[in-house]
């Protein structure tokens, strides 16, 4: 019989690494707590449109939204199409002017003289100014986008006119710079201004500076949210953009990807964030096609959860286009805004200009100690599968740690840290379950289990074992949360890699552990660790029956659902009933626990304890132990969501433990009742006996 020994020195290195991890986790918690102000942003155009729909003054409506909680208004670049609609300029194709002349409907002497002089070309676009300042801004931006040779000033004075060579249908939709009149109007009302500019083709320093020159005189600048696939100044002028950001103390807004992993793709985004000394904030907006499907109360809850769980600090809110029953459209939207503000206040968050993370990076020596602890945990687990001499364990730890730590001490090591994070997520859940299996195994060898074990003892011992095992897995979460702690990971400029593997690897490792300690095919109490391959071969040679195929099919379907539900892909859809349960738990608990923990893994752990105590068949024990590992792996993987505050991740795991213990105890009692009923029915005499 193989004896599995827990190397005390390796355990000591794990404890030392844990102390370093706790130190970094506390520093991280401090940084996250300081970032607690959320900016509520709506689009200026949306509110102008709402005022027009409801027939009230724009300024009056904006004042109401400011009182309700909106802190900032986003201002987009103008277009000829918008300026045509609001009457600030008139843009029309040359073909229309010539057509009116031919049909006799052209009465303006100016255009007659232009036609007579051969200055009107059907393919050109003509812009007539109503507001001189707006006209000059349009002219300036058209010259930048087309080049001076394609823009000609035809007339000056009270009604200036210019001609631009280009396609009318396309040109009227071009972005033509930030409108200074709208910027000033927003600023005057006391809102923070959130400009939304675009990049230029073959951008020049003058182009970049022209965007920021329009912000001169704006007192309440906040963040800048870029529009399009590129950041202003990309690819070669990002340093100039960063310089303008720093000069104006602007925050870079980074729009979260719809799949909630990193950002909406914009070239140069992460480079600008680093150049701006990480003064950046994560932005979320409810997708345009999804918001109409949500009731206002649901949308409010969505914002509260999003801001707490994903460190979103700029809420880019869209207006509702349909009123709720018994309310006007304005009342619906005002209630929406005030509801979000109230929910954030209840969650301990304030509203105002978005705060940003301090540019935090842990001390390299602390990271080195953490990586050493992870390495020790990996070698310890390996020694518990295939025992080998202590001196070789130390040599392996030294070799692996040196390879991983060297880049960290040199000032880099992002890949090393990601590898250590992945190892933490895979090894610690398996190590925790291995420790529990060895406890059960030692008691079984001592004759401490049997079919008559009382149900109360099973639940009490099972819950105790679940608590200890979960706390051991939590060590892996603290390691993971620490080794990948820095501002780049908080902002998701860098991410944890290997999510799918973290769901599968612990299950495989625990299955291997079980097969090194128990024989599935003979009711013996222990096997030699070298017999693992023999058991694998036996499983592969096992006769295939219809029952076996059905079982394998069910297991494959469960695995597909399990893997498909993980990560950040569209994956397997979530049932409506589960969505309702999630919403309920989000309202009742500080951090909603994961269903795979409190509904699957933790109950399976208590059933596994029942199976071990009552000596059920080994195959059933193995299935329950593997299922129990799902919760342990999920607990640690929670910490891989580095945008989520470390405190919330820890509380989520503990909430899942408490709820899972309750569900698990109920499952054990339920199985016990079923066994009792079956046993009594089996002893009952037949009716006609």
């Amino acid at each position: 019989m193989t004896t599995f020994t827990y190397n005390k020195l390796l355990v000591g290195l794990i404890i030392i690494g844990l102390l370093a991890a706790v130190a970094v986790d506390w520093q991280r918690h401090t940084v996250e707590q300081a970032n607690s102000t959320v900016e509520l942003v709506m689009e200026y155009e949306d509110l102008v449109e709402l005022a027009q729909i409801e027939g009230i003054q724009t300024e009056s409506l904006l004042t109401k939204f400011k009182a309700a909680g909106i802190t900032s208004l986003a201002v987009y670049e103008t277009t000829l199409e918008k300026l045509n609609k609001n009457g600030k300029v008139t843009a029309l194709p040359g073909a229309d002017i010539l057509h009116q002349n031919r049909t006799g409907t052209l009465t303006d002497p100016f255009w007659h003289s232009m036609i007579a002089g051969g200055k009107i070309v059907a393919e050109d676009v003509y812009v007539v100014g109503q507001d001189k300042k707006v006209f000059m801004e349009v002219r300036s931006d058209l010259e930048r986008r087309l080049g001076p040779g394609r823009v000609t000033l035809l007339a000056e004075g009270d009604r200036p006119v210019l001609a631009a060579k280009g396609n009318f249908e396309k040109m009227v939709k071009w972005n033509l710079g930030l409108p200074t009149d709208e910027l000033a109007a927003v600023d005057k009302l006391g809102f923070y201004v959130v400009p939304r500019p675009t990049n230029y083709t073959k951008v020049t320093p003058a182009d970049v500076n022209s965007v920021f020159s329009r912000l001169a005189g704006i007192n309440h600048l906040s963040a800048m949210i870029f529009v399009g696939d590129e950041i202003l100044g990309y690819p070669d002028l990002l340093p100039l953009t960063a310089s303008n950001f720093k000069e104006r103390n602007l925050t870079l807004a980074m729009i979260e990807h719809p799949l909630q992993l990193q950002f909406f793709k914009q070239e140069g985004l992460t480079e600008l964030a680093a150049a701006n000394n990480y003064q950046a904030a994560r932005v979320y907006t409810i997708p345009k096609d999804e918001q109409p499907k949500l009731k206002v109360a649901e949308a409010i809850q969505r914002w509260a959860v999003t801001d707490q769980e994903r460190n979103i600090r700029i809420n880019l809110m869209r207006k509702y286009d349909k009123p709720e029953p018994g309310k006007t459209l304005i009342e619906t939207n005002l209630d929406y805004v005030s509801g979000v503000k109230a929910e954030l206040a209840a969650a301990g968050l304030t509203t105002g200009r978005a705060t940003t993370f301090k540019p935090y990076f842990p001390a390299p020596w602390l990271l080195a100690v953490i990586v050493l602890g992870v390495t020790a945990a990996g070698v310890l687990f390996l020694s518990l599968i295939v025992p080998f001499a202590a001196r070789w364990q130390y040599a392996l730890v030294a070799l692996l740690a040196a390879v991983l730590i060297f880049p960290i001490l040199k000032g880099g090591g992002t890949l090393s840290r990601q590898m250590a994070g992945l190892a933490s997520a895979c090894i610690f859940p398996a190590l925790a379950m291995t420790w529990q299996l060895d406890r059960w195994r030692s008691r079984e060898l001592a004759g401490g289990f049997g079919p008559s074990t009382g149900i109360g003892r099973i639940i009490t011992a099972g819950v105790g074992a679940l608590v200890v095992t979960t706390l051991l897995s939590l060590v892996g979460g603290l390691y993971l949360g620490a080794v990948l702690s820095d501002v780049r990971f908080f902002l998701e400029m860098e991410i944890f890699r290997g999510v799918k593997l973290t769901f599968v690897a612990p299950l495989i490792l625990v299955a291997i552990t079980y097969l090194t300690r128990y024989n599935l095919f003979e009711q013996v109490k222990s096997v030699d660790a070298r017999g693992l391959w023999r058991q694998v071969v036996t499983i592969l040679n096992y006769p295939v029956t219809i029952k076996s195929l059905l079982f394998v099919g069910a297991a494959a379907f469960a695995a597909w659902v399990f893997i498909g539900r993980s990560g950040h892909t569209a994956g397997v859809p979530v049932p409506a009933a589960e969505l309702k349960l999630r919403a309920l738990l989000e309202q009742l608990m500080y951090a909603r626990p994961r269903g795979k923990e409190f509904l699957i893994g933790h109950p399976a752990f208590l059933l596994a304890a029942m199976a071990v105590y009552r000596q059920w068949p080994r195959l059933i024990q193995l299935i329950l132990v593997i299922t129990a590992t799902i919760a342990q792996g999920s607990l640690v993987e929670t910490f891989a969501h580095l945008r989520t505050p470390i405190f919330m991740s820890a509380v989520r795991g503990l909430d899942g433990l408490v709820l899972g213990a309750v569900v698990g105890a109920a499952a054990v009692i339920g199985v016990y009742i079923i066994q009792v009923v079956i046993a009594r029915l089996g002893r009952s005499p037949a009716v006609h006996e």
Side-chain angles (χ1 to χ4, degrees):
M1 182 183 72
T2 302
T3 301
F4 298 98
T5 304
Y6 289 76
N7 188 310
K8 293 182 180 178
L9 179 57
L10 297 186
V11 173
L13 291 176
I14 294 172
I15 293 173
I16 292 172
L18 175 61
L19 294 176
V22 169
V24 172
D25 286 331
W26 178 254
Q27 294 172 0
R28 171 181 167 178
H29 174 65
T30 303
V31 171
E32 289 170 336
Q33 287 293 102
N35 182 25
S36 60
T37 302
V38 179
E39 194 163 344
L40 303 186
V41 185
M42 292 192 81
E43 296 175 3
Y44 176 75
E45 291 178 10
D46 269 4
L47 296 186
V48 170
E49 181 183 65
L50 181 59
Q52 292 169 348
I53 291 172
E54 295 296 294
I56 68 172
Q57 291 293 321
T58 298
E59 185 172 327
S60 173
L61 182 66
L62 294 179
T63 302
K64 290 180 179 180
F65 273 88
K66 190 173 190 298
I70 290 297
T71 60
S72 314
L73 293 178
V75 179
Y76 285 82
E77 294 191 36
T78 194
T79 65
L80 289 176
E81 187 175 56
K82 295 176 187 176
L83 294 172
N84 258 343
K85 288 180 179 179
N86 61 32
K88 293 180 180 178
V89 301
T90 299
L92 63 163
D96 280 5
I97 300 173
L98 295 175
H99 176 71
Q100 292 177 40
N101 184 57
R102 287 194 297 269
T103 59
T105 57
L106 185 67
T107 59
D108 192 325
F110 173 80
W111 293 116
H112 282 295
S113 65
M114 289 291 104
I115 293 172
K119 294 182 179 181
I120 303 300
V121 180
E123 293 80 9
D124 287 357
V125 177
Y126 296 86
V127 180
V128 182
Q130 316 296 331
D131 183 307
K132 289 186 179 180
K133 185 176 181 181
V134 172
F135 178 83
M136 293 304 297
E137 290 177 357
V138 169
R139 177 187 176 186
S140 172
D141 215 73
L142 280 175
E143 287 176 345
R144 293 189 183 284
R145 296 182 187 276
L146 292 172
R150 293 176 61 182
V151 179
T152 304
L153 183 64
L154 297 181
E156 298 183 81
D158 293 335
R159 193 178 67 169
V161 180
L162 61 83
K165 294 187 177 297
N167 180 273
F168 177 79
E169 286 74 16
K170 294 185 181 297
M171 191 181 296
V172 292
K173 298 182 183 298
W174 285 354
N175 291 307
L176 296 177
L178 296 168
T180 56
D181 55 342
E182 293 183 7
L183 294 170
V186 171
D187 186 51
K188 182 180 179 181
L189 289 172
F191 291 97
Y192 285 106
V193 178
V194 179
R196 301 210 60 185
T198 58
N199 197 21
Y200 288 81
T201 303
K202 292 187 177 181
V203 62
T204 67
D207 294 333
V208 174
N209 289 328
S210 71
V211 172
F212 290 99
S213 68
R214 296 198 182 184
L215 302 178
I218 303 300
N219 299 312
H220 302 97
L221 278 175
S222 171
M224 185 170 283
I225 307 176
F226 290 102
V227 175
D229 298 329
E230 297 176 350
I231 296 302
L232 177 66
Y234 180 84
D236 300 321
L237 297 177
L238 290 178
L240 178 58
T241 302
S243 174
N244 277 286
F245 261 71
K246 292 177 180 177
E247 181 181 339
R248 293 163 178 79
N249 191 31
L250 275 168
T251 296
L252 174 62
M254 309 172 81
I255 304 174
E256 186 181 70
H257 192 277
L259 294 179
Q260 299 178 13
L261 181 65
Q262 293 194 287
F263 313 105
F264 176 79
K265 186 173 178 57
Q266 290 182 310
E267 299 292 346
L269 183 69
T270 56
E271 293 90 336
L272 181 57
N276 198 38
N277 201 29
Y278 302 100
Q279 184 176 332
R282 289 165 47 76
V283 181
Y284 176 69
T285 185
I286 298 176
K288 183 177 291 187
D289 59 345
E290 184 179 357
Q291 179 164 315
K293 302 174 186 176
L294 297 175
K295 295 180 180 178
V296 169
E298 293 172 336
I300 290 171
Q301 183 62 23
R302 168 82 63 88
W303 285 115
V305 172
T306 296
D307 295 336
Q308 284 183 280
E309 294 194 356
R310 302 206 300 274
N311 270 320
I312 297 296
R313 290 299 173 262
I314 296 180
N315 293 353
L316 186 54
M317 303 171 66
R318 292 188 171 94
K319 65 178 175 63
Y320 272 88
D321 293 321
K322 292 184 178 180
E324 288 203 310
K327 297 179 182 178
T328 67
L329 187 57
I330 290 179
E331 289 171 341
T332 297
N333 282 281
L334 288 175
D335 288 348
Y336 175 37
V337 172
S338 60
V340 171
K341 181 178 180 180
E343 284 294 319
L344 294 182
L349 298 171
T350 57
T351 55
R353 181 180 177 181
T355 48
T356 59
F357 288 114
K358 172 186 174 184
Y360 168 73
F361 293 90
W365 71 268
L366 280 174
L367 294 175
V369 174
I370 295 169
V371 171
L372 179 61
V374 174
T375 308
V379 173
L380 177 62
F381 179 77
L382 182 61
S383 73
L384 294 173
I385 299 298
V386 184
F388 57 103
R391 65 179 181 277
W392 294 113
Q393 295 178 29
Y394 304 145
L396 186 57
V397 169
L399 176 62
L400 294 175
V403 171
L404 293 173
I405 289 173
F406 180 74
I408 295 173
L409 295 179
K410 291 285 290 182
T414 298
L415 180 59
S416 293
R417 293 167 63 188
Q418 288 172 323
M419 292 173 65
L422 179 60
S424 298
C426 296
I427 291 169
F428 278 98
L431 201 53
M433 289 299 296
T434 298
W435 178 84
Q436 183 55 49
L437 283 174
D438 285 338
R439 285 190 65 204
W440 282 337
R441 179 169 177 259
S442 64
R443 294 196 62 182
E444 182 179 353
L445 292 172
F449 299 148
S452 61
T453 306
I455 193 70
R457 181 186 173 193
I458 290 174
I459 293 176
T460 302
V463 170
L466 175 61
V467 170
V468 174
T469 304
T470 302
L471 292 178
L472 290 176
S473 294
L474 185 61
V475 170
L478 296 176
Y479 262 92
L480 173 55
V483 76
L484 296 182
S485 280
D486 71 44
V487 66
R488 298 170 305 154
F489 287 95
F490 303 160
L491 290 171
E492 282 201 337
M493 295 167 60
E494 295 285 354
I495 59 173
F496 172 87
R497 299 187 183 278
V499 172
K500 302 288 186 184
L501 184 60
T502 62
F503 282 98
V504 177
L507 310 186
I508 296 174
L509 295 177
V510 170
I512 292 172
T513 299
Y514 190 92
L515 294 177
T516 61
R517 284 149 173 81
Y518 298 102
N519 191 323
L520 288 180
F521 304 98
E522 298 176 25
Q523 197 69 11
V524 296
K525 294 186 177 180
S526 64
V527 293
D528 192 294
R530 291 171 295 182
L532 171 62
W533 178 246
R534 185 174 65 251
Q535 294 209 68
V536 172
V537 171
T538 304
I539 293 172
L540 293 175
N541 291 330
Y542 198 80
V544 177
T545 63
I546 297 298
K547 181 171 62 177
S548 301
L549 289 175
L550 290 174
F551 176 79
V552 170
F557 176 76
W560 174 71
V561 173
F562 178 59
I563 301 300
R565 291 279 298 277
S566 65
H568 294 275
T569 58
V572 179
V574 182
E578 184 176 345
L579 291 175
K580 292 180 180 179
L581 178 60
R582 288 182 179 185
L584 177 63
L585 292 175
E586 284 166 354
Q587 293 177 354
L588 296 178
M589 308 184 81
Y590 176 77
R592 173 182 60 81
R594 287 176 149 187
K596 60 175 67 74
E597 294 174 29
F598 75 89
L599 289 177
I600 300 174
H602 293 328
F605 188 99
L606 289 180
L607 290 174
M610 187 178 191
V612 170
Y613 272 78
R614 294 204 160 185
Q615 295 289 277
W616 292 357
R618 297 294 189 201
L619 181 59
I620 294 178
Q621 291 183 24
L622 174 60
I623 293 172
L624 290 172
V625 165
I626 291 175
T627 307
T629 307
I630 290 174
Q632 305 304 317
S634 172
L635 169 70
V636 180
E637 193 274 335
T638 295
F639 289 82
H641 298 271
L642 296 154
R643 66 201 177 188
T644 302
I646 188 79
F647 180 74
M648 175 166 281
S649 294
V651 173
R652 189 190 307 280
L654 296 177
D655 282 349
L657 170 61
V658 173
L659 203 53
V662 173
V663 175
V668 169
I669 293 172
V671 170
Y672 172 74
I673 291 173
I674 292 172
Q675 287 180 322
V676 170
V677 171
I678 292 174
R680 289 184 178 178
L681 289 176
R683 291 196 300 268
S684 299
V687 176
H688 302 292
E689 187 175 8

